[in-house]
Amino acid sequence: MIFLLALQLNFVLNILRMFPKPSYMPALAFILFSAVMPAFNVITPALFACNFLIWILYQSCKLYNAPRAKTSIYNLGLLTGSCVILYYPSLPLIIITMIALAIIRPFRPNEWFVLIFGIITPAYFLTAYHFLTDQFNLLPLPQKICDLINLP
């Protein structure tokens, strides 16, 4: 898993031309630094969140020259929302994504709505799935809301 993350990070850095010539040095550095940290020796949800984080950084760097910015912004929001759904401690990533959009793109309200809709989309589909499969009581709802909609 760490090897695949290293190759993904290396691909992103080579595509964005962060170094004078393509090489595998970033992948080697990632593998060496991850070997030093004991948290990376075990497969955890944080390791999968690292995969999403690399994708999010790549998408936000591509926003600067995006020919169709709205689709890229929606994909960025969708990745952020999916990361938050799969690994809840990555919730501050939503704020970081909004700051990245504010820095990279000029302010256009429709792009901000597209980003917010992209962030909300995974939560919407998860809630709809729980509702349609009658597992809606698994979501942490306050008791007063449960009483209003007649849930146990």
Side-chain angles (χ1 to χ4, degrees):
M1 181 72 184
I2 292 175
F3 183 70
L4 292 175
L5 284 174
L7 287 178
Q8 182 183 13
L9 179 67
N10 191 54
F11 169 76
V12 167
L13 292 177
N14 284 336
I15 290 294
L16 295 175
R17 295 191 181 124
M18 297 297 228
F19 297 105
K21 60 182 183 175
S23 68
Y24 287 103
M25 189 60 70
L28 178 66
F30 183 82
I31 289 174
L32 287 176
F33 285 129
S34 65
V36 173
M37 292 187 262
F40 276 90
N41 292 333
V42 181
I43 295 178
T44 60
L47 196 60
F48 290 108
C50 184
N51 186 11
F52 279 99
L53 182 66
I54 292 172
W55 280 354
I56 289 169
L57 288 174
Y58 177 59
Q59 288 290 327
S60 60
C61 288
K62 279 186 6 180
L63 276 180
Y64 184 70
N65 290 329
R68 292 180 293 179
K70 288 183 185 175
T71 56
S72 296
I73 291 172
Y74 183 77
N75 290 339
L76 178 64
L78 196 64
L79 281 171
T80 304
S82 300
C83 184
V84 169
I85 292 292
L86 294 175
Y87 186 60
Y88 183 71
S90 64
L91 191 63
L93 198 58
I94 293 173
I95 297 170
I96 294 170
T97 304
M98 290 183 177
I99 290 171
L101 183 66
I103 291 172
I104 294 175
R105 304 281 301 172
F107 180 74
R108 293 188 183 108
N110 56 355
E111 290 180 355
W112 282 87
F113 285 125
V114 167
L115 178 68
I116 291 171
F117 287 144
I119 292 171
I120 292 173
T121 300
Y124 172 76
F125 282 124
L126 181 67
T127 306
Y129 171 76
H130 282 298
F131 179 74
L132 292 173
T133 58
D134 202 24
Q135 298 173 351
F136 201 69
N137 54 2
L138 295 177
L139 296 176
L141 294 173
Q143 189 60 38
K144 289 186 178 182
I145 295 175
C146 289
D147 291 338
L148 287 175
I149 58 176
N150 296 326
L151 287 177

